[in-house]
Amino acid sequence: MTTDETGTSNSGSSLVPGLAAVALFVVMAVAIVQSSFGTAVTFPEGESIVAHIGYAMFDLQADMGTIASEGFLAAFLIIAVGLDVAVDGALFLAKREEEGSIVALLTDGGRELLDTAEASTEATTEEASTGTDTPDSTDTTGGSR
Amino acid sequence: MVPAQYYLLLSAAVFCIGLFGVLTRDNALYFLMSVELMLNAANINFVAFSLFWGNLTGQTFALFVIALAAAEVAIGIGIILVLYRNFGSVSVTDAATMRW
Amino acid sequence: MAFEYVPAIVLLPFLSFVIALFAGKYLPKGGALAGIAATAGSLLLSIWAFLTVRSQGAYQETIYTWASGFGEQPWELTFGVLIDPLSAMMLVIVTLIATLVHVFSLGYMNDEGETGLPRYYAGLGLFTASMLGFVVADNLLMAFMFFELVGLCSYLLIGFWFREDGPPSAAKKAFLVTRFGDYFFLIGVVAVFSTFGTAAFVGAESFPVLAEEAVAGDVTVNTFGFDPTTWFTIVGLLVLGGVVGKSAQFPLHTWLPDAMEGPTPVSALIHAATMVAAGVYLVARMYGFYAVSPTALAIIAFIGGFTALFAATMGVVKREIKQVLAYSTISQYGYMMLALGAGGYVAATFHLMTHAFFKALLFLGAGSVIIAMHHNENMWDMGGLKDKMPVTYWTFLAGSLALAGIFPFSGFWSKDEVLYEALIHGLGGSPLLLGAYAMGLLAVPVTAFYTFRMVYLTFHGEPRTDTARNPEPVRWNVKFPLSVLGVLAVVAGLVNMVPVQKVLGLEGIDYLHQWLDQSFDPLTAHHYAEVSPYSSGYIGGEATTVLVGAAVSLGLALAGLLLATYLYNVAEPTEHTAKLGAIKDVLYNNYYQDEFQVWIANRTQSVASVADTFDQGVIDGVVNGVSSVSLFSGSRVRRIQTGVVTNYAALLTLGLTALLLAFGLLGGWFL
């Protein structure tokens, strides 16, 4: 798991864990092939699937639909709130640095922004130098695997 | 009609491809994509069995999964930004400070 | 009314303990005055309680329940007080002697310029408090707790001069030997609980009553598969283990002579009122339980009789005045055990009381002599002290006459009643008791002999050293306790003149018998007499038996006294022990009991070291092994926690695969 200077991943040596995924697929595939599900019951002809999904979303399937389904109004509302929270959370996580920079820019005439810019360039050069060290350390720790 | 096993095999394959990505890549952005594959593997099952049993619950639920995937990506991107800010890269192997 | 203050009887000396311990060094006399005030207060309250028992009868109250069980057998562990004639009498005795000992300590410790007085008075206070707590205890567990406290205090006080060589080791010996007995006592307490579900001394559900009913077949108790009488004998003997240890009965008597290393007032307290008396008192307290088991009674009687003779013979050759008294104590407690075993509950209590007075007197008298002799205890260095210290002499003589059992001093009455009970119950068809009686009778002349040997060597003849020629004078604080006890030693026998009553046919002068009959119904003397397995037999008539018994014991006592007079009441007494030949060495070395116990201890050492090896190697090894294995494996296993997300995902995947494989193989998915 070495990282070159451009930050892209060189995954040559890390294909081994992927074997676990392959193994999982093999196991599942064997199980699936051996299984049987009886005869299918498909949707009735001539009914609008999309319209019925709409009914199910708002708990109207019992009154208006002919295709069996459960009501999803509660789930719909909860997911709505959940998405809202996710967007807010993403904003919260992403926003912080910009906010700090802007405040710094306003108070000190952008000096700190320059400083951080310098520091970040230093950090990248530092990381370039330390980047050659990290493989050893990660290898020793990852070597137990 | 296509037998249910085929859908399941497709789903398992997609899931394992996503899992393979998670296991072999260390770029966090690849992770987000791989997780998307895994979620959609689940969606294939939902839709397939919805059709198979003639019940709309699975299809409706697949919609919710897509919505949840959107939320997950939003949070994931936020986390990756923080990750980049703290470690200077988006490699998940660098963020290994929470260990013994 | 008075009964509400009973806890204060116990708490006052405890308070003096606290005061002496924490503030003793700031107080005049090192806390002695607090101790005197506290014990005197306890004495007054005890007398009040005594008089209240007299007018209102006995009293029992549970004060505090400190643990209660649930389920089928809701056990309750409680603290409570039981004030009946026996405990009320004992309270008065203990507090009286404790008060006098405190006063005497002013002369023995303060005037002699001892250091560490606060510690001394703290010990005395705690000692008195624990003994009083033991006396008022209304259940066996509470009694056991205070019993142990008494043992602890004796350890602290015997080892008071801990910078010297002897006292610490004597203290350890006293503690360990009594603890050995207490171990059995503890098992006995547990056995009583598991058998009866209660350890109360009194009440319809108390364990002596239940035992009696169980033997009669009225109730069933858990006897662990034994016949009730057999099981009660076993339990009784277990409890007796503690009694034998504390009351210094054979074979656990060895600690008591060594305990003479402690300060003399402490010896007086230990021997007369507190520690040693505790054992006999315990048997008397739960006498109803022992009375249902003829075997236990016979063993008690036999141990008592044997100890009485055995200890008396050892007292004959001792050189130190306190050693003689120590063996006489063992011997006298042997008499009490003999009385208890022979069904003489009142006789034992009577002897306990008179002995408390005259033995406290003798020890305090010996303390007075020791002050005068500048702490030289060897009787062969004394002599002729009679004229120099008349108060000590006359009181000591009164105590000695009582100890020797000479008419009409208190010891005569009580010892005579002990022997009388053993005799009539022995004649009534218990030959074993006759053997115990014979030993008790044989001990009488020996007792008289060593007592008067001590008196003559100490007080009569010509002074044999310069110290004896110019003894240090003692003050009022020594003479006052001696005088009080001297009077009591003379007259205490009058409370129970059963022989006179029986011979002259008078009624109503056996006050102690009447007194001990005023208790709760199952705790009365005549109830014990009904329960006890003995019947009485007489030589001729009752009066004749009384006269014969008294005449024989008095005659033997006088014979011993006269022999001592002949041998030692001369101007320049010489040692006659050489005439005893080989026996002398045996007696000097206390029948090699100490050596025997050391030998046993050494034999058990290998067992102990095997147990030690087992403990260190196997038990500790397992515990340490478990911890080091989990430490080591933990330090390895935690390496899985790499912090790299990919690894976690890989482990999850592998785990899921393994789980699927397992389910699939077990569920036949792959067929």
Side-chain angles (χ1 to χ4, degrees), chain C residues 155 168-178 254-255 258 594 597:
Chain C
Y155 168 78
S169 99
K172 272 183 273 185
K173 186 173 178 183
F175 195 68
L176 289 176
V177 173
T178 54
T254 49
W255 66 270
D258 290 18
D594 288 311
Q597 287 180 356

Side-chain angles (χ1 to χ4, degrees), chain C residues 193-208:
Chain C
F193 262 109
S194 53
T195 306
F196 303 105
T198 176
F201 287 133
V202 70
E205 293 293 307
S206 65
F207 72 92

Side-chain angles (χ1 to χ4, degrees), chain A residues 20 24 27-28 30-31 34 145, chain C residues 647 653-654 657 660 669-671:
Chain A
L24 180 64
V27 171
M28 288 203 292
V30 172
Q34 296 291 330
R145 195 151 35 78
Chain C
N647 289 345
T653 309
L654 287 174
T657 311
L660 279 178
W669 296 353
F670 305 137
L671 294 174

Side-chain angles (χ1 to χ4, degrees), chain A residues 85-95, chain B residues 71 73-79 81:
Chain A
V85 168
V87 170
D88 287 349
L91 281 176
F92 172 76
L93 287 170
K95 210 167 125 186
Chain B
V73 168
I75 296 290
I77 292 285
I79 290 174
L81 277 173

Side-chain angles (χ1 to χ4, degrees), chain B residues 2-74:
Chain B
V2 185
Q5 280 91 335
Y6 288 15
Y7 292 113
L8 283 176
L9 276 178
L10 173 66
S11 159
V14 172
F15 181 84
C16 288
I17 289 167
L19 186 60
F20 188 88
V22 168
L23 290 176
T24 54
R25 302 289 159 161
D26 60 358
N27 190 321
L29 289 168
Y30 279 116
F31 268 48
L32 284 186
M33 300 177 200
S34 303
V35 168
E36 208 65 28
L37 277 181
M38 289 153 84
L39 284 170
N40 282 304
N43 276 347
I44 290 173
N45 275 354
F46 275 130
V47 176
F49 279 97
S50 173
L51 176 63
F52 194 81
W53 298 120
N55 188 314
L56 268 180
T57 302
Q59 293 212 28
T60 320
F61 206 85
L63 285 175
F64 286 119
V65 171
I66 290 167
L68 272 178
E72 174 251 303
V73 168

Side-chain angles (χ1 to χ4, degrees), chain C residues 52-255:
Chain C
T52 316
V53 171
R54 196 178 164 77
S55 56
Q56 297 174 11
Y59 168 80
Q60 188 269 333
E61 185 195 358
T62 300
I63 291 176
Y64 178 59
T65 304
W66 52 275
S68 56
F70 49 86
E72 285 181 23
Q73 280 188 309
W75 293 1
E76 287 202 333
L77 308 182
T78 58
F79 285 138
V81 296
L82 166 59
I83 303 296
D84 72 335
L86 178 67
S87 57
M89 188 189 89
M90 197 68 191
L91 278 181
V92 174
I93 295 172
V94 173
T95 50
L96 173 66
I97 288 174
T99 312
L100 294 177
V101 162
H102 271 87
V103 173
F104 186 86
S105 296
L106 284 176
Y108 196 84
M109 305 297 283
N110 293 45
D111 290 356
E112 300 284 289
E114 296 287 347
T115 53
L117 286 173
R119 187 161 53 85
Y120 175 78
Y121 285 108
L124 279 191
L126 187 60
F127 206 174
T128 314
S130 19
M131 183 64 191
L132 292 170
F134 171 73
V135 168
V136 299
D138 76 336
N139 64 71
L140 196 59
L141 185 64
M142 180 183 173
F144 176 76
M145 290 169 163
F146 283 100
F147 205 66
E148 292 300 296
L149 263 182
V150 168
L152 170 72
C153 296
S154 76
Y155 168 78
L156 295 174
L157 284 171
I158 292 168
F160 176 71
W161 286 309
F162 61 88
R163 288 191 175 82
E164 295 165 25
D165 290 336
S169 99
K172 272 183 273 185
K173 186 173 178 183
F175 195 68
L176 289 176
V177 173
T178 54
R179 181 53 26 83
F180 182 73
D182 291 347
Y183 181 69
F184 295 102
F185 184 11
L186 177 58
I187 300 175
V189 172
V190 174
V192 165
F193 262 109
S194 53
T195 306
F196 303 105
T198 176
F201 287 133
V202 70
E205 293 293 307
S206 65
F207 72 92
V209 174
L210 286 175
E212 204 182 305
E213 290 170 353
V215 169
D218 295 338
V219 296
T220 47
V221 292
N222 178 16
T223 55
F224 298 91
F226 291 96
D227 180 59
T229 315
T230 317
W231 175 245
F232 297 153
T233 306
I234 294 171
V235 175
L237 291 180
L238 283 172
V239 176
L240 191 68
V243 173
V244 166
K246 277 284 192 295
S247 278
Q249 297 297 295
F250 179 82
L252 297 183
H253 63 277
T254 49
W255 66 270

Side-chain angles (χ1 to χ4, degrees), chain C residues 629-648:
Chain C
V629 161
S630 33
L631 271 177
F632 179 79
S633 55
S635 72
R636 286 287 167 269
V637 168
R638 73 175 187 182
R639 299 279 164 174
I640 292 176
Q641 197 87 3
T642 54
V644 179
V645 145
T646 314
N647 289 345
Y648 299 156

